[in-house]
Amino acid sequence: MNPAPSARLFGGLLAVLALAALTLASLLSITPPAPLSADAPAAEFSAGRAFQHVQRIGEAMHVAGSPAADAVREHIVTTLSGLGLHPQIQDAVGETDALGGQAMARVRNVVTLIPGRQSTGRLFLVAHYDSVQVSYGANDDGSGIATLLETARALTDGPQLRNDIVLLATDAEEACLCGAEAFVHADSLARDGGVVLNFESRGSSGPAIMFETAAGNEDLIAQYAAAVPYPVATSMAVEVYRILPNDTDFTPFRTSGRFTGLNSAYIDGSATYHSPEDRPDYMHLGSLQSQGSNALALARQLGNADLAGLARPEGHDATYFPVLGSLVRYPGWLVWPLAALAALGVAALAVTVRRRMGLGWGRMTAGFGVALLPLLLSAVAAQLLWMLLVALRPGYGAMLDPWRPGWYRAAVCALVLLVLVGWYALLRRRFGPWGLAVGGLGWLAVLGMIMAAATPGGSYLAALPALAGSVLGIVAITVRPWWGRLLAVTATGVVAVLVLAPTVLLFFPALGLATGAATALVAAMLGLALLPVLEYLHPALPAPPGRSRITSAGLTITAAALVVACTVTGLSVDHFDTRYPAPTQLMYALDADTHTAYWVSQQTDPGGWTSNFVTGTEDLSAQFPLLEGNLATGPAEPARLPAPTLTVDDDQISGATRTLTVTIHPHRDVRLVAVSAPDITVLSATAQGREMPVQDKGFRLLFHAPPPAGVTVRLVLDGTGPVAFRVLDGSDGLSGLPGFVPRPAGVGVQGSHTSELVLVGTTVTV
């Protein structure tokens, strides 16, 4: 028996309120905790105590090889020594191609062993102490170093753990991951492998997310779930990160094949990332508390576990996601069965709808077709919103996220709601509420199957709501009491909210508003799963003519008003000023041979202050091989900067080969040198005694943090003719260059590895 329209509407409102409360609880469960003060119990991780290290680390920009980096390293050594430990300095050369090109660096890692009482293996706690050249590195990665130091304090203050703990503060992570690579390559403590916990930051706020694992992570995920007090992790994040061309210090460990482990970071507030605003006063201490509490709990858990087994990957990954402060997980081999069950469940629901409600196959097939529209339109609308914001505020174009993105994120959610209720209002009468609901669940089942094949760890996002929706949908159709049907569809919403709502919240900072389409797609998936509940906001059928259209129109107008209100509020709240400046990117390049200089910007559409320097585009890669492709350029006044020199230390010819040893000498304070020769064939090469991979044609070396005596390269060449080397060195800071006009208030420096770079190049033939 159908209830009165008012009772039906009241029940629907109660269901919506209950789901809204659950959504709020679900989102709050993955927000950072309150920070503990500096006088917290000694056994606890205290963000207040750790922040004292952050303040010391973030006093100055400390790029690898700089005196400021030396001071940070000395602080680490002094702190660890004060705990009764014996830190050692690994002075080595690291070599990687992880960040898009062959690079090397002189590194000085701080390595500290905390011996275990009966070790079954080694647990490595890793963070890097260098910053990019324009950043104070308070969050990236002062937070990681502070986490290591406060964790070490708590561990040494408590009972001795079973396993050896190695604290590794790496150098030159920002430059090339070279500190971690040098440790994995050459340090005796790394020879037998082990379990790695890496701690990073890509912002200034948000929860500490465990976003990357080694392959075969099931056992480690079980340890993580059992140990950490703030479990924020999803196997979808692991899948996304494996696709993206991003790397951290975890990469050299993972790719060596000798280590398993977990990689964690907090990532909200990405506008500070690699920028001069990455200072201690921008850090949210709750994020540091989240990271540190999890780190200490994992160190204790794994410090007493059987590491011999955990250091060997399992045969498959686990699927896992956060639910109300805990971590739901199941074996990876269940991914395909659950995806298949979801598809079968939706098919069974369609049959039930056909038999019980008389909805024809044609209308259900059409309903399935049109159910794709809100998924596509939501994604497109989110990107159009971002394009509008960039048009209104061009400084956003160089950002992943605005400084204060909260209202814009709410606008994206309102936009998805607008698309969904507008679509539902237009098509509900034609295809029927269950025709659209079955279609929406059908697309979730399809997405579950697609992700099972392409990104297995993310299949749960679609498969579980589809499976729950189909099973509970059958219950809702077959039970007699109307309140029983309402409970069934509400239970469907519960599953969808618990699975999808946290992902929406986590995707916003992970992918940014610049790629808001992905987040909008997940939000639309949640909306499709909630369609049966939405139907209860309509009067009971049969309704007076036009009644449902009025109700739908009201929801649509409300959603549209929310989009406008949130967007306008966002534009009002988030504006560029001295504390939150618009990022700009500018470099200077001087050809010492022709005495020609250029201003260069890697911004795709430089405007405002940057347009005072760059007037067109040009490919400068022949003169400056570090600057690839067409870039925005403009003429600059040549500065009096000494060019690097290349001297021949040894030159031997044997048959058809030439062995050449040269040293590149910078004659100013630089953070990198580079040398290239595109037309030679190299048989073998070493730099600073470290063997280099050779290319089929040409030679190219980028060396960070060069030693004062220069960088020595030994080449064995196929051929005996003269070689023209293009030699560059690079320093940082545009102030003092002729023609440079300082940035006005509200205009800042874009966080990148090339902002403020000053290149000087010359050609040397030997």
Side-chain angles (χ1 to χ4, degrees):
M1 182 177 178
N2 288 324
S6 59
R8 177 185 173 92
L9 182 59
F10 180 72
L13 288 173
L14 284 180
V16 169
L17 289 175
L19 291 175
L22 181 65
T23 300
L24 180 61
S26 184
L27 299 182
L28 289 176
S29 71
I30 58 171
T31 55
L36 296 182
S37 63
D39 59 357
E44 300 283 344
F45 184 98
S46 161
R49 286 189 290 258
F51 187 64
Q52 296 171 11
H53 298 298
V54 172
Q55 291 175 307
R56 176 65 184 85
I57 293 166
E59 286 180 350
M61 299 173 183
H62 46 281
V63 69
S66 67
D70 294 342
V72 172
R73 184 175 61 253
E74 183 58 33
H75 172 74
I76 297 169
V77 170
T78 300
T79 301
L80 293 172
S81 298
L83 298 175
L85 300 173
H86 305 285
Q88 304 294 315
I89 304 299
Q90 181 197 18
D91 193 336
V93 173
E95 177 273 317
T96 73
D97 62 356
L99 298 182
Q102 200 66 41
M104 303 180 79
R106 183 206 177 184
V107 300
R108 283 163 285 184
N109 298 324
V110 182
V111 185
T112 309
L113 175 66
I114 304 178
R117 65 178 186 273
Q118 194 174 2
S119 188
T120 65
R122 291 194 177 109
L123 175 65
F124 298 83
L125 307 185
V126 183
H128 68 89
Y129 70 84
D130 63 307
S131 72
V132 296
Q133 78 285 355
V134 297
S135 174
Y136 291 83
N139 290 283
D140 181 21
D141 193 23
S143 65
I145 294 297
T147 293
L148 261 61
L149 296 178
E150 172 65 359
T151 298
R153 182 208 57 77
L155 293 179
T156 54
D157 191 62
Q160 185 180 23
L161 299 177
R162 176 186 183 187
N163 297 314
D164 292 345
I165 307 291
V166 178
L167 306 174
L168 175 62
T170 66
D171 193 6
E173 189 271 355
E174 299 291 5
C176 51
L177 316 182
C178 286
E181 191 280 335
F183 179 79
V184 172
H185 173 77
D187 197 282
S188 60
L189 290 175
R191 186 178 301 123
D192 297 327
V195 178
V196 177
L197 302 178
N198 189 58
F199 303 100
E200 266 283 4
S201 165
R202 198 212 60 183
S204 60
S205 60
I209 303 170
M210 197 281 289
F211 66 94
E212 185 186 16
T213 74
N217 60 32
E218 185 176 22
D219 283 351
L220 275 178
I221 295 302
Q223 296 286 331
Y224 174 89
V228 301
Y230 309 112
V232 182
T234 162
S235 47
M236 182 60 181
V238 173
E239 298 287 1
V240 170
Y241 197 79
R242 288 174 180 174
I243 295 171
L244 295 175
N246 298 339
D247 290 286
T248 68
D249 270 343
F250 190 68
T251 300
F253 289 94
R254 175 177 54 79
T255 57
S256 72
R258 304 197 305 272
F259 298 86
T260 60
L262 308 173
N263 200 0
S264 300
Y266 55 89
I267 61 174
D268 210 350
S270 63
T272 63
Y273 181 54
H274 283 176
S275 77
E277 286 68 47
D278 189 2
R279 300 197 297 268
D281 58 312
Y282 285 75
M283 175 183 283
H284 289 234
L285 291 187
S287 301
L288 182 59
Q289 186 68 54
S290 171
Q291 183 185 68
S293 293
N294 286 355
L296 179 57
L298 272 172
R300 287 172 172 155
Q301 177 84 7
L302 296 173
N304 285 315
D306 181 2
L307 289 186
L310 290 171
R312 294 190 299 271
E314 290 296 306
H316 48 75
D317 291 333
T319 292
Y320 51 93
F321 51 93
V323 172
L324 299 178
S326 62
L327 199 71
V328 172
R329 57 189 174 86
Y330 55 84
W333 60 263
L334 280 175
V335 166
W336 272 109
L338 287 173
L341 281 174
L344 291 174
V346 173
L349 175 62
V351 171
T352 305
V353 169
R354 173 75 176 87
R355 290 178 177 175
R356 291 275 184 159
M357 310 192 75
L359 196 64
W361 290 116
R363 290 179 71 190
M364 274 198 288
T365 302
F368 173 75
V370 299
L372 181 61
L373 290 176
L375 295 172
L376 298 179
L377 292 176
S378 294
V380 171
Q383 288 306 121
L384 290 176
L385 176 62
W386 178 246
M387 293 171 63
L388 172 64
L389 293 174
V390 172
L392 294 173
R393 193 154 288 165
Y396 286 166
M399 306 178 75
L400 180 70
D401 247 351
W403 283 103
R404 290 151 289 202
W407 284 104
Y408 295 139
R409 293 172 181 175
V412 170
C413 293
L415 196 56
V416 173
L417 178 63
L418 173 62
V419 169
L420 190 72
V421 298
W423 164 83
Y424 196 67
L426 288 172
L427 301 178
R428 174 182 174 273
R429 282 185 173 274
R430 182 172 181 180
F431 299 102
W434 276 107
L436 296 179
V438 172
L441 292 174
W443 277 110
L444 291 182
V446 169
L447 289 173
M449 299 284 283
I450 292 173
M451 287 192 282
T455 56
S459 179
Y460 76 92
L461 288 170
L464 294 185
L467 179 57
S470 60
V471 172
L472 293 169
I474 292 172
V475 173
I477 292 171
T478 55
V479 299
R480 293 182 63 84
W482 71 271
W483 52 265
R485 297 195 295 272
L486 178 60
L487 287 176
V489 297
T490 304
T492 297
V494 167
V495 174
V497 164
L498 292 178
V499 171
L500 290 168
T503 304
V504 173
L505 184 62
L506 295 175
F507 264 35
F508 270 124
L511 302 176
L513 288 168
T515 51
T519 307
L521 176 64
V522 177
M525 291 166 58
L526 174 58
L528 288 177
L530 294 175
L531 282 182
V533 180
L534 179 63
E535 174 60 20
Y536 273 80
L537 298 183
H538 289 265
L541 297 177
R547 180 68 179 275
S548 65
R549 286 196 297 272
I550 294 172
T551 306
S552 298
L555 288 172
T556 305
I557 292 170
T558 301
L562 284 173
V563 173
V564 174
C566 291
T567 302
V568 171
T569 304
L571 287 168
S572 175
V573 168
D574 188 70
H575 50 81
F576 295 121
D577 53 32
T578 302
R579 182 170 173 82
Y580 304 108
T584 59
Q585 198 273 347
L586 189 66
M587 300 176 281
Y588 178 87
L590 171 66
D591 187 332
D593 299 333
T594 63
H595 210 53
T596 304
Y598 307 86
W599 297 110
V600 186
S601 178
Q602 292 179 327
Q603 287 183 252
T604 55
D605 187 20
W609 176 84
T610 312
S611 63
N612 296 323
F613 299 90
V614 296
T615 56
T617 60
E618 191 172 352
D619 186 348
L620 299 177
S621 58
Q623 295 164 273
F624 306 97
L626 295 182
L627 307 179
E628 298 180 342
N630 283 319
L631 301 175
T633 63
E637 183 179 343
R640 291 189 173 183
L641 297 174
T645 58
L646 183 146
T647 59
V648 178
D649 300 325
D650 190 25
D651 192 353
Q652 301 179 19
I653 294 177
S654 177
T657 63
R658 182 185 184 188
T659 301
L660 189 61
T661 303
V662 299
T663 300
I664 302 98
H665 301 270
H667 297 284
R668 57 199 185 100
D669 187 13
V670 300
R671 70 173 167 95
L672 61 86
V673 296
V675 58
S676 61
D679 298 323
I680 63 175
T681 300
V682 179
L683 301 178
S684 67
T686 60
Q688 290 296 104
R690 177 77 188 269
E691 186 176 353
M692 295 177 57
V694 297
Q695 305 168 359
D696 293 336
K697 185 68 174 178
F699 172 75
R700 183 171 177 173
L701 169 65
L702 173 62
F703 199 101
H704 297 271
V711 176
T712 299
V713 180
R714 183 178 183 275
L715 302 172
V716 178
L717 308 178
D718 184 7
T720 59
V723 179
F725 289 104
R726 187 65 179 172
V727 187
L728 308 176
D729 63 18
S731 61
D732 301 301
L734 303 179
S735 297
L737 291 174
F740 178 73
V741 178
R743 292 172 170 82
V747 177
V749 177
Q750 182 177 333
S752 80
H753 294 280
T754 53
S755 287
E756 308 297 282
L757 178 63
V758 177
L759 288 175
V760 178
T762 185
T763 298
V764 179
T765 301
V766 298

